[in-house]
Every structure is written in C-alpha cells, then in structure tokens.
Amino acid sequence: MTEHGATELLLNLVAGVALLLWGVRMVRTGMTRAFGAQLRRYLGHAMRNRLQAFVAGIGVTALLQSSTATAMIVSSFAGRGLLAGGAAIAVLLGAGIGTSITAQYLSLDLHWLGPLCIILGVIGFFAAESGMPRHVGRLGIGIGLMLLSLEMIIGASAPLRDAPGLAAILLPLEREPVLGVLLFALLTWLSHASLATVLLAASLAKAGTVDATLAVALVIGANIGTAISPLVASTGQPPAARRAQLANLLTRVIATLALLPFIDQLPHWLAYAGGDGARMAVNAHTAYNLAVAVIFLPFVTLLDKLAKRLMPDAKESAVFAPRYLDESALDTPSVALAAAARETLRMSDIVAQMLNQTMTVFTRDDAKLAKAVEQSDDSVDRLHEAIKLYLTELSKHGMDEAESRRYVDVLTFTTNLEHIGDIIDKNLMELAQKKIKNKLTFSKEGLAELTDFHRRVAANLQMACNLFMAGDPKLARQLLQEKAALREAEQLAAEHHYQRIREGRAESIETSAIHLDVIRDLKRINSHLTAVAYPILEQTGELTATRLRADKRPDLTSAQSAPGGGLEAGKNGKASLA
C-alpha cells in the first residue's frame, strides 16, 4: 500500500468516525426534541422501586441512544430530590443495557436501511418548518448517517490492517489489552458517545484490523468511559446529583478489574454465541452490561450508602445559586424553557420579598432591614445572570416559533425583574437611608397614601407573575387597567401632598422630595411589571403598533412606553382597551 493510499484510507476512517458521532448526536437531539418531555415524564414516574427504575433506564436509553443523556437526566432529578439514590443507580444500570440493545440492531446487516432513513428523514425535515415532523426527520437522518458511517469505517479499516504504521500502533495494544481499555475509556469520555465507540470497535473487528481479544478490551474500555462522562459533566452540581454517577463508575471499575485476568479467555466464551468479529464485540458489550446489572442491582441500596460516604453532602453555601436550571434539558427546548420560567418565579419571590420589606423600612426606620434588602438584590442579580446564560445556551438549539416567543418572554420578564431589584436597591433604599439619617417622619395622611400605593404595586407584581405563567389575555387586560388606575392614583396623591404643603404641614414639607420620589419609583416598578402584558395582547390582536384599540369603554390614561411594551400614547395622551 502506497503512502498516499494509506493516508487516504486513514482520512476516510477518521471521517467515518466523525460521521458516526454526528449521527449519534442527531438521533439524540431528534429524539429529545420530539419526545424529550414525554421521556422525562415517564422516567420521573417510573421510580417507585428499583425494578421499575431499571426497566425505565433500559427503555429511555434505547430510545435516546445515549446512556450519557439518561445519566444527565438522572443527575437533574436526584439533585432536586425527585429521585432516591438507589433508584437512580438502578436507572443507570438499565441504561447500559439500553445501549446494548441499540448496538445489537445497528450491527445487523442493514446496508439498505441507511439510504432509506436518510431519504425519508430529509423529506420529513424539509416538509415541515418546525414541530414534530421536523424532529422525527432529524432522527431518521441520524440513524441513516450512523449506518452509512459504519460501512465507511469497515471499508476504510479493512485495507489498513496490513499497513505497517497501523501495525506499529496496534501491536502494543494487542500485547497489553489494558492499554486498549484505557484508550477507549479516554475516547468514550471525550466523545460522550459509548454507542459510537462500541460500534467503532465492532467495525474494526469485522474488518480484521483488531483481533478478538483487543476488540473485547476496547468494548470494556468504552463501558468505563461512558460512566466517566456524566460524572465529569456534573462537576459543580450538589453531591446528591453526582452520587449515582459515582456508584455507576464504581460498578464498572469493579467489573473490569474482575474481568481483566480472564481477558484472553473471554473471546472463547463469547464464541459460543457465534458470529463474526463485529458480532463478538457487540455481544461482549451486551454480556458486560447484563453481568453488571445482575450482580449489582440487588445491592443498589448499599452502593448508595457507599457513594454517600465517598461524596457526603457539602456544607450550606452562603452563595445563592440557581435551583431549577437543568443542563440536561437543553436538548428539549420546551422543558428547558419551563425550567427557566420556574427559576424566574423563584427570582420573582425574592423581588416580592424585597418590595414588601421596603415599606417596612420606611415605616419603622429599620436600617438593618434596609441592608438586608440591598443584599437580597445580589441574589436577584446572580439568578438573572444564571438564567440569562442558560437561555443563551438554549438559543444554540433549534426552537420552533412558539418556543422562540416563550424564550423572549422569559428573557424579558427576567430582565424586568432585575431592573425592579435595582430600583429597590439603588433608589428606594437610598431614600430610606436618607429618611433614617435625617430622622424625618411622613405625615399620617402621606404615609397612608404611600402604603396604599405600595400595596397596589405589590398586588400587581403577583398579578404579573401569574400572567407570566398563564398568558391569559383577560389577566393582561386587567393588569393594564391597573396601570392606568395607578397613574390616576399617582396624580391624586401628588395633589393631596401639595395641598398639605400649602397648609404648612411641617412633616409634608420636610419629606416632600422623598415622598414624591418613592411614588415615582413605585410607578417605575409598576411599568416594568405591566410590560409582560403587551406581547400577550399583541398576539391576540388587541393592541395596535402605537396604542390600544378605541372602544366605548372609558379611556385609560397611558403611561409612556413601558420597557418591552411598544405602547405609545396617542395625540390626546390616552389609550383605551378594546
């Protein structure tokens, strides 16, 4: 074989491996986008006992064709306390068998199926602009690419078995199968695709590039690597989210150490099942995972206790961190958006607490509470940054039109909540500190007006959160009505305040600037809240580009355009509901 010919064949081999990895990814993303929410729901419900969890792990992984994806879902559930440690380990034991099932059918002689899947997949992908048919088309293309890539690998690796350069690389591996185990453990960890590396080992064995013993060693290495990938990927998550991954890795390390002394005999035992080198490699993968499941499934409770000893719960951290941003859900935009919305509601709870405490600071002159409110804004900022980064990562994945709208809604509402936190922290608390420092007191009537104005804004915050989740046009209309009514209340409160000044009320004169600024800032907060209503009413056709449609109902005084709202006052400064 000429040097040029060997280089070309090696290039084809690497291209085949790359195509295999890409096919596995397309299958996983197609399946998660089409059925990800249902699979996660099924996995969440099938956790009543270890046997159900084990079967669920087999089924979900066989469909996702990725034990790593299943493991990341398990980490998410376990980290939030939705999945007991023993059940989580049982799922991962089942996931190994799930990949074995997929490897078995992909190793069959299905050369005719690859082109057919690609043709049907492309038709389905381009026939629909979004939605289920497009995702199913992606799934079909992925399966077709995987099958074609296996043919490429076999075709490219067969002539290479006689190449002197490749022999120099493989000879040490054949003499020391442990090196083959370590090599494919590393390759699987880096690729996050044990199915792809197992099929690669099977293809090399079928072409005669590696002998049976080395092929089995490579498969064993792939099974270790597939346990390393999710454990490393979950770094930074709480211990509860990582213990099942650690236990799964321990089972595979123990099984591998037990098998290594018999590595030369394993091909002879597997030969009883018949088949060529590829079939032997795939059967080795199946036998390995069946053995691990049979041996360790009865002891998942003990494994969980061992994992807790090796990875105990960390001490409570003073750093406020997100709770619901599930990284494993990014391949399923609908689930990821729900997670981001849930985290946004958690953020809104902090903002609501800050807003409620604001009036307490003003009425009790509580400087200590004012500092606590300012510190709460740091938590709001951290959550806002985490949600923003999470949504940025989600934007790299394909979303349909409805998901894209929801993406914008979540990002906009989160940003408005962050602005509200800043107003409370940097404006209202500064005014409160000024009032405390100068020992000022509101008049009885002025304090009552501020309290009532604050109560209405706090109620609108709750209404805005409900609207954010429900998207109800009636609720959106009600929120805009409250905005108009609040502006009228602002004007009335200002008139009463000026009347008290004209009467020479000392408290009103001393606190005039603070009084008016508090109302101004509360009104700004309300404007950020009502911004959530505009896109909902725009979608239902109840808003024009510049104002609400006029009808026979009383006109509602419009504020200037709210952030994200796109509503402008007409010539008479009024806007009315349709």
Side-chain angles (χ1 to χ4, degrees):
M1 181 186 299
T2 65
E3 182 179 350
H4 176 74
T7 301
E8 185 177 351
L9 287 173
L10 184 60
L11 185 62
N12 287 334
L13 176 62
V14 174
V17 173
L19 189 61
L20 177 60
L21 292 172
W22 186 253
V24 170
R25 174 179 170 79
M26 288 196 70
V27 170
R28 185 178 71 249
T29 56
M31 181 62 70
T32 53
R33 292 177 188 177
F35 309 105
Q38 294 91 326
L39 290 176
R40 293 171 69 89
R41 195 177 303 116
Y42 164 68
L43 193 59
H45 289 318
M47 301 302 171
R48 297 177 183 176
N49 56 62
R50 70 184 68 177
L51 184 59
Q52 281 187 336
F54 175 71
V55 173
I58 295 174
V60 171
T61 306
L63 292 173
L64 288 177
Q65 301 192 15
S66 172
S67 59
T68 301
T70 303
M72 294 308 295
I73 295 174
V74 167
S75 285
S76 169
F77 287 176
R80 287 181 283 163
L82 303 177
L83 182 59
I89 297 170
V91 172
L92 298 183
L93 292 176
I97 297 179
T99 61
S100 302
I101 294 173
T102 306
Q104 286 287 348
Y105 80 75
L106 286 175
S107 64
L108 299 174
D109 184 12
L110 301 173
H111 63 275
W112 56 272
L113 185 59
L116 180 61
C117 285
I118 291 178
I119 292 172
L120 295 178
V122 169
I123 292 175
F125 187 84
F126 285 109
E129 294 184 359
S130 62
M132 183 73 70
R134 191 175 182 88
H135 299 322
V136 173
R138 184 191 302 272
L139 174 63
I141 295 172
I143 293 175
L145 291 180
M146 290 174 65
L147 294 171
L148 290 181
S149 67
L150 293 176
E151 293 186 24
M152 284 183 62
I153 293 171
I154 294 170
S157 57
L160 282 174
R161 68 177 181 267
D162 299 322
L166 187 62
I169 297 174
L170 294 178
L171 188 59
L173 298 180
E174 292 177 353
R175 290 177 178 174
E176 296 291 342
V178 176
L179 294 178
V181 173
L182 296 176
L183 175 64
F184 259 51
L186 177 63
L187 182 61
T188 304
W189 169 38
L190 294 176
S191 65
H192 286 60
S194 61
L195 177 61
T197 49
V198 167
L199 293 175
L200 173 60
S203 300
L204 294 174
K206 184 172 185 177
T209 308
V210 300
D211 62 17
T213 301
L214 180 55
V216 172
L218 298 180
V219 168
I220 292 175
N223 278 279
I224 293 180
T226 194
I228 297 174
S229 298
L231 182 61
V232 174
S234 61
T235 300
Q237 295 187 20
R242 309 184 69 215
R243 290 191 190 112
Q245 319 297 346
L246 176 61
N248 186 45
L249 178 59
L250 290 175
T251 63
R252 294 174 185 276
V253 170
I254 293 171
T256 299
L257 292 176
L259 288 174
L260 282 179
F262 309 99
I263 193 73
D264 293 328
Q265 286 76 38
L266 291 178
H268 301 292
W269 300 341
L270 293 167
Y272 288 108
D276 56 9
R279 176 58 51 195
M280 182 177 293
V282 173
N283 287 343
H285 181 50
T286 303
Y288 180 94
N289 283 286
L290 281 173
V292 169
V294 169
I295 294 171
F296 291 104
L297 187 59
F299 305 105
V300 292
T301 302
L302 292 177
L303 286 169
D304 181 44
K305 291 181 179 179
L306 176 60
K308 287 180 178 178
R309 289 181 65 89
L310 296 174
M311 193 177 288
D313 287 322
K315 294 181 180 179
E316 288 294 328
S317 173
V319 178
F320 194 84
R323 183 180 299 167
Y324 303 110
L325 300 182
D326 183 359
E327 298 291 335
S328 69
L330 289 172
D331 280 337
T332 312
S334 60
V335 177
L337 288 169
R342 192 174 183 186
E343 197 68 61
T344 301
L345 283 184
R346 183 171 174 234
M347 181 178 171
S348 73
D349 288 340
I350 303 172
V351 173
Q353 183 183 40
M354 292 173 63
L355 183 60
N356 289 332
Q357 290 173 337
T358 294
M359 211 59 218
T360 304
V361 173
F362 277 106
T363 54
R364 299 181 182 176
D365 291 338
D366 192 336
K368 185 176 180 180
L369 183 58
K371 290 293 184 184
V373 172
E374 292 171 354
Q375 291 173 357
S376 294
D377 186 54
D378 295 336
S379 298
V380 172
D381 291 339
R382 276 192 288 269
L383 280 186
H384 173 249
E385 186 67 17
I387 296 170
K388 183 173 65 175
L389 293 176
Y390 185 78
L391 292 175
T392 299
E393 189 64 28
L394 177 61
S395 67
K396 300 175 184 177
H397 300 258
M399 291 184 285
D400 59 29
E401 185 178 350
E403 291 166 345
S404 297
R405 284 198 303 268
R406 185 56 175 166
Y407 170 91
V408 174
D409 290 343
V410 174
L411 185 59
T412 302
F413 191 63
T414 304
T415 302
N416 283 333
L417 287 175
E418 193 271 338
H419 290 334
I420 292 171
D422 286 344
I423 293 172
I424 296 173
D425 174 24
K426 297 178 175 59
N427 295 88
L428 288 171
M429 289 303 99
E430 182 179 333
L431 292 172
Q433 295 284 13
K434 182 179 178 181
K435 176 177 179 290
I436 295 170
K437 179 181 178 180
N438 296 322
K439 299 181 180 180
L440 302 176
T441 304
F442 291 122
S443 66
K444 182 179 179 181
E445 297 84 356
L447 180 59
E449 289 172 352
L450 289 177
T451 302
D452 180 67
F453 202 87
H454 170 271
R455 177 190 57 77
R456 297 176 70 166
V457 174
N460 286 347
L461 172 57
Q462 296 303 317
M463 190 188 306
C465 292
N466 293 336
L467 178 59
F468 169 70
M469 295 302 296
D472 184 3
K474 292 182 179 179
L475 199 58
R477 181 185 294 279
Q478 183 179 347
L479 188 59
L480 287 191
Q481 288 173 334
E482 286 296 324
K483 178 181 180 179
L486 198 70
R487 177 166 183 172
E488 293 177 356
E490 176 204 11
Q491 294 173 345
L492 188 60
E495 290 175 4
H496 290 166
H497 176 71
Y498 289 131
Q499 177 62 35
R500 289 191 293 273
I501 291 177
R502 287 193 293 270
E503 293 172 356
R505 301 280 292 273
E507 300 99 326
S508 297
I509 295 173
E510 291 175 347
T511 61
S512 179
I514 295 177
H515 182 102
L516 295 175
D517 284 347
V518 168
I519 290 182
R520 178 206 62 191
D521 290 333
L522 289 174
K523 181 189 165 192
R524 286 173 59 203
I525 289 173
N526 194 70
S527 294
H528 285 294
L529 294 174
T530 54
V532 70
Y534 292 102
I536 296 172
L537 294 178
E538 284 174 354
Q539 290 176 29
T540 58
E542 298 183 61
L543 285 181
T544 62
T546 58
R547 55 179 296 177
L548 289 165
R549 290 179 180 172
D551 66 3
K552 295 181 180 180
R553 293 188 181 93
D555 282 351
L556 295 175
T557 305
S558 169
Q560 293 179 350
S561 295
L567 180 69
E568 298 177 1
K571 293 180 179 179
N572 59 354
K574 300 280 187 176
S576 62
L577 292 170

